[in-house]
Amino acid sequence: MGWGDLGVFGEPSKETPNLDQMASEGMLFLDFYTANPLCSPSRAALLTGRLPVRNGFYTTNAHARNAYTPQDIVGGIPDSELLLPELLKKAGYISKIIGKWHLGHRPQFHPLKHGFDEWFGSPNCHFGPFDNRALPNIPLYRDWEMIGRYYEDFKIDLKTGEANLTQIYLQEALDFISKQQASQQPFFLYWAIDATHAPVYASKQFLGSSQRGLYGDAVREIDDSIGKILKHLQKLGISENTFVFFTSDNGAALISAPKQGGSNGRFLCGKQTTFEGGMREPAIAWWPGHIPAGGVSHQLGNVMDLFTTSLSLAGLQPPSDRQIDGIDLLPAVLQGKLIDRPIFYYRGNEMMAVRVGLYKAHYWTWSNSWEEYSKGVDFCPGQNVSGVTTHTQEEHTTLPLLFHLGRDPGEKYPLSFASSEYQRAMEQISVIVEQHKVTMVPGEPQLNVCDKAVMNWSPPGCEKLGKCLKPPKSDPKKCFWPH
């Protein structure tokens, strides 16, 4: 989902009344980021409070390549990483993930082995349908075992876009909240729906309801669902005791626009890139009785902060034996304070850019290769900025390209290298980058090796359903990551 997809961020059709109301009752973050320009690494960052290059969710197969966890990936979240639900257990929390996990699908990476108590959802994205011979259809799990597969037992109509998955995920959320409230149990719910990821889907009642096509239908259904979750908290009388945060894992995928892609507003490019459109996200904090209504924050925030902030809310300290990149946002949320901190934009194993205050310095630029671009793969449609949206990897480590995001949020006009403003800003940024490099101990890359034998052929529970498939012979290879 993109920064420009919500009415409160200026989307013209104003089709997100519940999220807009959530913002009016809580706090809107205008400068909130994800830790990576695509799904799996940013989710790993959210749950560990650490940059993907530290927690292993990156590849070294080629320079500055985005990588994620498709079916044939061998890696996943390492046992050495401490995830938020594992730590929240110390304060008596029950944790549930609903929707997309995406941190590895082999048995050792199962979310219930990494702190979650319950799971309803899928280990991978809802790609397909597959033939169950060359590629198996993706399973859906309830807790330890699969209960079916996408397209077979959980329908997604690729012609109409109809699927009732968001409604199923909504009901799971409402039931979980009710159960925890009845037992007076503190809870952490990670509601990770994926209807706005192509192939986009929505349930029948929302199809055709948006001025924005199928993508808009999916956004409307998500918005409606969030409205129902917030109302449910209020009805149960626990809204003043529940901190809720809404954001996205990466910017809108412009490659699937206009029919199945969203809006990144005024920002450059989209998903897969380290330009603002790929990593700046819509973000809203809601906690009635605690967060002053109608607040707007310019705090530089990141999904990794949700790790540290959640621990703070639970009265816990983050682990002291590792570098934690997330900060506690509570002073910003509750008192309107601004905490000085940089934002690092990584693509694979490379720090591409850094933001300090209103300045953003690009040390590398790359949208995607000429070869991919010539095949119609375009992450920046209609947005060519000469020398910025480059189709070869351009190094600027000696003289970074510098933008002032206050005057130029679209990253169109680099500051003159000779200007005193450039010199002053880069003096400050260079010190921060050097300090960051000193602390950088990369984790072992988890996204290097692919093997068709590890796909979702025979997930736990497949025997009961008669849905076990025979895997091919193991043949591990280097994964190919073109972007």
Side-chain angles (χ1 to χ4, degrees):
M1 190 179 279
W3 192 93
D5 274 331
L6 308 186
V8 72
F9 283 97
E11 200 288 309
S13 59
K14 302 279 187 203
E15 292 178 347
T16 53
N18 295 288
L19 284 162
D20 296 352
Q21 186 177 338
M22 182 184 177
S24 71
E25 294 172 0
M27 177 172 279
L28 194 67
F29 282 82
L30 299 181
D31 298 82
F32 197 87
Y33 291 85
T34 184
N36 195 267
L38 80 168
C39 42
S40 305
S42 60
R43 288 160 191 265
L46 185 156
L47 290 172
T48 62
R50 285 153 57 80
L51 284 162
V53 73
R54 295 194 210 273
N55 63 38
F57 265 70
Y58 71 105
T59 181
T60 55
N61 286 357
H63 178 247
R65 292 305 199 279
N66 290 324
Y68 66 110
T69 54
Q71 281 206 65
D72 58 349
I73 201 78
V74 169
I77 194 71
D79 281 340
S80 57
E81 290 298 319
L82 291 170
L83 273 61
L84 178 58
E86 290 178 77
L87 297 167
L88 288 175
K89 277 191 191 308
K90 295 174 187 171
Y93 277 73
I94 298 292
S95 300
K96 179 163 186 165
I97 170 174
I98 297 173
K100 187 165 80 165
W101 166 239
H102 233 205
L103 301 191
H105 59 274
R106 296 169 71 208
Q108 66 267 40
F109 306 128
H110 192 291
L112 270 59
K113 287 195 173 176
H114 292 272
F116 283 100
D117 301 289
E118 298 181 26
W119 181 26
F120 183 91
S122 173
N124 309 86
C125 220
H126 56 277
F127 295 129
F130 303 123
D131 61 7
N132 284 340
R133 291 186 297 276
L135 299 169
N137 278 316
I138 310 287
L140 265 83
Y141 280 76
R142 180 175 293 287
D143 298 332
W144 288 107
E145 297 185 340
M146 72 176 281
I147 54 172
R149 294 183 188 268
Y150 281 130
Y151 299 97
E152 297 169 32
D153 312 282
F154 295 88
K155 306 293 184 195
I156 302 172
D157 188 321
L158 292 182
K159 285 184 182 154
T160 64
E162 184 180 346
N164 66 345
L165 282 161
T166 302
Q167 292 303 306
I168 296 171
Y169 292 152
L170 168 62
Q171 196 57 51
E172 285 287 325
L174 300 178
D175 291 347
F176 175 72
I177 292 166
S178 294
K179 187 171 77 174
Q180 303 317 313
Q181 190 270 339
S183 63
Q184 298 293 294
Q185 188 79 40
F187 65 88
F188 166 53
L189 172 60
Y190 175 34
W191 199 63
I193 68 287
D194 65 353
T196 46
H197 188 300
V200 172
Y201 61 80
S203 60
K204 194 167 189 177
Q205 71 204 75
F206 287 93
L207 286 179
S209 68
S210 168
Q211 298 175 58
R212 305 179 65 200
L214 181 58
Y215 182 87
D217 297 341
V219 171
R220 288 200 68 190
E221 184 167 17
I222 290 170
D223 174 78
D224 181 78
S225 300
I226 290 165
K228 288 188 167 88
I229 290 170
L230 299 183
K231 286 185 181 73
H232 193 58
L233 292 169
Q234 290 169 322
K235 189 180 88 179
L236 293 175
I238 56 173
S239 61
E240 293 198 3
N241 204 24
T242 310
F243 180 84
V244 185
F245 202 95
F246 169 84
T247 191
S248 173
D249 61 349
N250 48 248
L254 301 184
I255 189 172
S256 46
K259 291 187 177 175
Q260 301 217 354
S263 165
N264 295 314
R266 69 191 68 183
F267 301 119
L268 185 62
C269 300
K271 178 179 177 176
Q272 302 270 8
T273 77
T274 49
F275 301 112
E276 291 296 287
M279 291 181 62
R280 202 188 295 204
E281 306 303 329
I284 304 166
W286 185 86
W287 189 13
H290 300 269
I291 297 174
V296 177
S297 178
H298 287 280
Q299 172 64 47
L300 297 191
N302 195 291
V303 292
M304 298 180 290
D305 302 340
L306 300 179
F307 172 89
T308 312
T309 305
S310 298
L311 292 177
S312 178
L313 285 162
L316 299 170
Q317 291 294 322
S320 58
D321 65 341
R322 63 200 62 208
Q323 184 75 31
I324 300 294
D325 296 293
I327 65 167
D328 182 359
L329 288 175
L330 288 184
V333 170
L334 300 179
Q335 296 144 23
K337 291 186 177 174
L338 286 178
I339 303 153
D340 194 19
R341 65 90 67 90
I343 296 290
F344 296 101
Y345 304 69
Y346 271 84
R347 184 164 170 161
N349 56 351
E350 185 61 73
M351 191 201 79
M352 304 288 283
V354 61
R355 177 174 172 182
V356 175
L358 285 167
Y359 292 101
K360 180 177 178 183
H362 288 268
Y363 288 75
W364 289 85
T365 52
W366 191 41
S367 55
N368 64 321
S369 68
W370 281 115
E371 183 188 7
E372 291 284 300
Y373 182 69
S374 66
K375 293 176 187 169
V377 177
D378 191 356
F379 302 135
C380 313
Q383 289 186 299
N384 177 43
V385 180
S386 180
V388 179
T389 55
T390 54
H391 291 293
T392 53
Q393 292 188 18
E394 298 292 334
E395 186 173 2
H396 308 280
T397 51
T398 308
L399 271 179
L401 294 183
L402 186 66
F403 296 90
H404 187 288
L405 295 177
R407 299 193 298 265
D408 176 26
E411 298 169 278
K412 291 180 174 63
Y413 310 106
L415 271 64
S416 164
F417 298 135
S419 68
S420 58
E421 183 182 8
Y422 180 93
Q423 306 292 337
R424 280 196 312 273
M426 282 313 305
E427 272 177 31
Q428 184 188 5
I429 292 169
S430 297
V431 171
I432 289 164
V433 168
E434 286 310 310
Q435 288 171 344
H436 174 68
K437 285 181 175 172
V438 168
T439 74
M440 182 47 65
V441 180
E444 186 178 338
Q446 296 295 310
L447 309 180
N448 279 354
V449 182
C450 289
D451 185 351
K452 284 197 170 181
V454 306
M455 287 183 169
N456 294 288
W457 300 103
S458 297
C462 68
E463 302 88 352
K464 294 178 191 172
L465 303 173
K467 286 191 171 285
C468 299
L469 303 167
K470 190 179 177 190
K473 193 177 168 190
S474 178
D475 182 21
K477 290 185 168 73
K478 263 185 158 186
C479 305
F480 174 64
W481 304 112
H483 313 308

